[in-house]
Amino acid sequence: MKMKYYSKVFYDDPKIVVIGGGTGLSILLRGLKKFTHNITAIVTVADDGGGSGILREDLGMLPPGDIRACMLALANTEPKMEKLFQYRFDNGSLKGQSFGNLFLAAMNGIYGSFEMAIKEASDVLAITGKVIPMTLEKVKLFAELENGKIIEGESNIPFQVKKNKSKIQRVFINPAISNPLEEGIEAINQADLIVLGPGSLYTSIIPNLLINNIVEKIYNAKAPKVYISNIMTQPGETDGYSVFDHVQSILNHSREDFLDYVIANIEEIPTVVLDKYIGDGSSPVLVKDIDRKLLEEKGIHLIAESLIDIQKHYIRHDNMVLSKLLIDIAKKSKP
């Protein structure tokens, strides 16, 4: 399917495709847009929880939440506009719903298609680059646990993993044949760098790799492929995972020689901040000697750096450090 964008092209800027979803992707995009205007964010639409899930169920549209977050991350507009799009209602039937989600739902109704809704909203927000859904199909995410049980629904997976005390073996989507957008494939083919993550491994990153032929399209692209490992494990999704465990899951859902680089954190987290996360069931994902050894055996180049940024006791990636690392790799790959 074809989506038309008319954003200005900055030919000297590295062309970077970032694939994922959730908070991790939007944080990265806020930093990356300061270094290049040629950004394409390919975003998961497999989520079915929260306000997005309600709109998906009620209106039959694709879930707008991750799309909205990435558009706002790339927006070049007045702060008042961003506050408006981020505003969440706290009363009545709209409780928990964001204005940005409702705006995209309205645009979807006006133009009769989600792709045109994104395009028009992108113009309103004057975004840097493009935001593209991974597919226009109404996909549902499933997880097969190590005990053989099949879990239906992205928002249900972490709860059922904890309830069953069984880790995720694999994830898959229905319909199994869901096609990517042409603009996404074009961006992948023209990219100087293709980035996976950061974000929820099984519910934000890997779903994008399940789209029809996308793994081969990414693999055959000339650009280096980089995976950004999470800083903390995610309860009910990656409990006890090492850096290499994250990488191996990516490879299990793609192919063994899929990645060229992995970026991972080596910075210790202050105890006063870490204790809260440990209490919630998370643990740090720090590079260890075994990770270095296993990645080297697979021919994957590890970039281990201090990547921590703590804001109001929340741990996240330092998007400026991360962006500089990515731009350096992209510039080396440019002909």
Side-chain angles (χ1 to χ4, degrees):
M1 296 185 180
K2 194 77 171 174
M3 291 173 67
K4 291 291 185 183
Y5 290 90
Y6 303 98
S7 56
K8 185 177 179 181
V9 176
F10 292 76
Y11 292 100
D12 293 334
D13 287 355
K15 300 181 180 69
I16 299 183
V17 172
V18 186
I19 300 171
T23 304
L25 181 59
S26 60
I27 288 172
L28 172 60
L29 293 175
R30 287 183 184 276
L32 202 54
K33 73 178 184 181
K34 298 176 183 178
F35 295 88
T36 178
H37 292 80
N38 291 330
I39 301 170
T40 300
I42 298 177
V43 184
T44 181
V45 288
D47 50 316
D48 60 5
S52 285
I54 292 170
L55 291 176
R56 175 176 179 157
E57 184 71 22
D58 286 352
L59 302 180
M61 65 180 290
L62 290 175
D66 284 358
I67 297 283
R68 182 205 77 243
C70 290
M71 290 172 60
L72 286 174
L74 294 174
N76 296 284
T77 188
E78 294 182 7
K80 288 181 181 179
M81 182 68 78
E82 179 167 353
K83 284 184 178 180
L84 176 63
F85 271 71
Q86 293 282 39
Y87 177 77
R88 286 189 181 275
F89 296 88
D90 54 15
N91 290 297
S93 61
L94 292 178
K95 184 177 180 179
Q97 193 63 263
S98 78
F99 175 81
N101 282 358
L102 297 177
F103 179 82
L104 281 171
M107 297 291 264
N108 183 67
I110 291 169
Y111 293 98
S113 68
F114 194 57
E115 64 268 36
M116 281 304 299
I118 296 171
K119 190 270 171 186
E120 294 297 326
S122 296
D123 288 347
V124 169
L125 293 170
I127 74 166
T128 296
K130 306 173 185 177
V131 176
I132 298 174
M134 70 180 193
T135 184
L136 293 175
E137 314 275 348
K138 295 181 176 65
V139 298
K140 185 175 282 291
L141 187 67
F142 293 79
E144 179 183 353
L145 306 188
E146 289 180 349
N147 66 4
K149 187 168 184 178
I150 304 296
I151 309 302
E152 178 180 345
E154 173 264 342
S155 60
N156 193 34
I157 291 171
F159 171 76
Q160 290 295 334
V161 167
K162 288 186 277 189
K163 180 180 177 181
N164 283 268
K165 298 180 180 178
S166 182
K167 292 186 177 183
I168 297 170
Q169 181 71 31
R170 69 182 181 107
V171 291
F172 58 96
I173 57 173
N174 185 40
I177 304 299
S178 301
N179 295 313
L181 278 73
E182 290 180 23
E183 277 73 12
I185 299 302
E186 289 172 8
I188 287 167
N189 290 336
Q190 296 169 11
D192 297 308
L193 186 68
I194 299 170
V195 182
L196 302 177
S200 300
L201 182 64
Y202 289 108
T203 53
S204 289
I205 298 172
I206 291 177
N208 295 281
L209 301 180
L210 305 177
I211 300 303
N212 191 34
N213 291 327
I214 197 70
V215 166
E216 292 305 308
K217 295 293 184 182
I218 294 172
Y219 177 78
N220 290 324
K222 68 181 188 302
K225 292 81 185 175
V226 180
Y227 169 61
I228 301 170
S229 178
N230 287 346
I231 292 172
M232 302 292 295
T233 61
Q234 188 167 346
E237 192 160 333
T238 55
D239 301 275
Y241 271 39
S242 65
V243 171
F244 185 76
D245 289 334
H246 283 79
V247 172
Q248 188 61 62
S249 293
I250 295 283
L251 302 183
N252 289 345
H253 288 83
S254 54
R255 49 185 292 164
E256 276 296 301
D257 53 352
F258 189 63
L259 295 172
D260 299 300
Y261 293 87
V262 168
I263 299 176
N265 179 54
I266 57 171
E267 184 178 353
E268 297 284 347
I269 300 166
T271 303
V272 66
V273 178
L274 187 59
D275 284 347
K276 174 185 177 297
Y277 282 82
I278 291 175
D280 292 337
S282 293
S283 59
V285 184
L286 291 167
V287 175
K288 298 179 180 177
D289 289 342
I290 187 62
D291 297 310
R292 296 178 187 274
K293 179 178 181 293
L294 293 172
L295 290 172
E296 184 178 357
E297 288 176 357
K298 288 190 176 292
I300 299 173
H301 181 66
L302 172 66
I303 299 175
E305 293 284 349
S306 296
L307 298 174
I308 300 297
D309 182 29
I310 298 172
Q311 298 283 341
K312 298 180 180 178
H313 292 278
Y314 285 97
I315 303 167
R316 63 182 190 179
H317 284 88
D318 187 320
N319 59 14
M320 297 300 287
V321 172
L322 206 49
S323 296
K324 289 175 183 176
L325 291 172
L326 295 173
I327 292 296
D328 285 345
I329 299 171
K331 286 182 175 178
K332 290 176 184 175
S333 75
K334 288 190 72 172

